[in-house]
Amino acid sequence: MADTGAMDLVGAGQSELEEYTALLMEKERIRKTGHDFQLTYDRMFGPLIVEEFQAQVEVIKQKIELSLYIQVMNRGEQPDPEEIEKDLDARMENWRRRMKLLVEYHETIAGLPELPVEYVLAAGRLYRRLAKRIHPDLHPEYADDPVARELWERLCMAYKGNNIPEMEELEVLIARLDPSHPLSPDRIPDLAEKIRRLKKEIQGMMSRDPFLYGVWIGDPEQVREKQEEYRRLIQGWKESRKQFAKKLETLLLERRNPGCPMN
């Protein structure tokens, strides 16, 4: 598991440019570590995440159905179950789409291989070496170069997936760019302000999820507590659905028997 502690980024006598470079690399390391922690979290709690969302969707569906019946009755009209069902189906389309995407995502990550720690570390080292040669904040001369932009985007995607073969291929392509001038502070405006903002951004990233998942996700007791939290949420949604279903049942009974109101 990756180290969640802050790195000592700036050594004695380190120049502003060296500090800026180190901070950029640290920012990407933290971003990648957070992504890895999020993946671990989603794998660990995937079935409960899906079940909790499904239970929530069922409550929303029941609540909308109840409101549709009430709207029709408030207009003094006789509810048509088929018409209400069609209206309900249309209103639930977005929720069904979201449910489908969630299920597909968790099915996909469940099939991803677990990579050895050393392999992940090697991917990080290769990324940092290449990023120093093409990072847009370090090389503003590439700002208007579509080839450089594409290579940078591909590098970020490869790093996110720990794809060493892809990064090794990109290394050859990045080498062909060959900056015509060595990197210098003069080519990066407002360097001191950029350093200040980067430090603040890094602290923010390290103080929230998914980076903070790393603090507890290896603790079996805290994992069990999180599982219980999901189960309580699921049970709560199920109880809410029952309550809305009961209200609808009572409403329809009173509609059919106006002289015998339900208690």
Side-chain angles (χ1 to χ4, degrees), residues 139-159:
H139 296 279
E141 70 273 17
Y142 292 150
D144 299 319
D145 186 335
V147 174
R149 285 201 303 272
E150 180 185 354
L151 290 175
W152 170 245
E153 290 170 1
R154 287 176 60 187
L155 177 61
C156 291
M157 288 298 296
Y159 177 46

Side-chain angles (χ1 to χ4, degrees), residues 28-224:
E28 294 307 317
R29 183 192 75 83
I30 292 170
R31 191 196 308 277
K32 174 62 165 52
T33 300
H35 172 267
D36 290 344
F37 284 150
Q38 183 69 65
L39 195 59
T40 300
Y41 180 98
D42 290 344
R43 278 172 162 167
M44 187 174 291
F45 302 106
L48 288 170
I49 292 171
V50 171
E51 186 179 355
E52 191 268 334
F53 188 73
Q54 178 66 60
Q56 180 184 359
V57 170
E58 290 299 322
V59 171
I60 292 168
K61 181 179 179 180
Q62 191 68 68
K63 187 175 181 180
I64 292 174
E65 184 179 17
L66 174 62
S67 70
L68 290 174
Y69 271 96
I70 291 174
Q71 289 172 26
V72 172
M73 291 178 180
N74 284 343
R75 294 197 298 267
E77 301 172 3
Q78 180 65 31
D80 183 337
E82 290 187 5
E83 287 298 316
I84 287 178
E85 185 64 28
K86 285 198 298 185
D87 194 352
L88 178 62
D89 187 65
R91 293 175 185 236
M92 292 301 298
E93 176 61 29
N94 183 55
W95 289 102
R96 285 196 300 273
R97 188 182 305 114
R98 289 176 60 183
M99 187 71 224
K100 181 174 181 291
L101 290 173
L102 183 67
V103 170
E104 289 175 350
Y105 165 72
H106 283 281
E107 287 176 347
T108 298
I109 64 172
L112 293 177
E114 292 283 353
L115 296 175
V117 173
E118 183 51 43
Y119 187 91
V120 175
L121 294 175
R125 289 192 294 269
L126 178 55
Y127 165 80
R128 286 188 289 275
R129 185 169 77 240
L130 297 180
K132 290 177 182 179
R133 298 166 61 182
I134 198 174
H135 197 298
D137 289 334
L138 292 173
H139 296 279
E141 70 273 17
Y142 292 150
D144 299 319
D145 186 335
V147 174
R149 285 201 303 272
E150 180 185 354
L151 290 175
W152 170 245
E153 290 170 1
R154 287 176 60 187
L155 177 61
C156 291
M157 288 298 296
Y159 177 46
K160 187 175 182 180
N162 295 305
N163 191 337
I164 289 180
E166 171 73 3
M167 285 192 279
E168 288 174 339
E169 293 180 8
L170 288 169
E171 186 168 19
V172 176
L173 300 175
I174 290 170
R176 295 175 61 187
L177 291 174
D178 190 23
S180 57
H181 303 289
L183 188 59
S184 67
D186 294 339
R187 290 164 57 197
I188 304 176
D190 304 318
L191 190 52
E193 176 60 20
K194 283 184 168 66
I195 289 173
R196 186 193 68 78
R197 288 202 303 264
L198 261 179
K199 288 180 176 179
K200 184 177 180 180
E201 186 176 0
I202 287 171
Q203 285 301 117
M205 292 168 68
M206 294 178 68
S207 65
R208 60 179 181 265
D209 295 334
F211 190 80
L212 287 181
Y213 289 157
V215 174
W216 61 267
I217 209 164
D219 184 338
E221 182 59 33
Q222 294 197 59
V223 168
R224 282 193 293 272

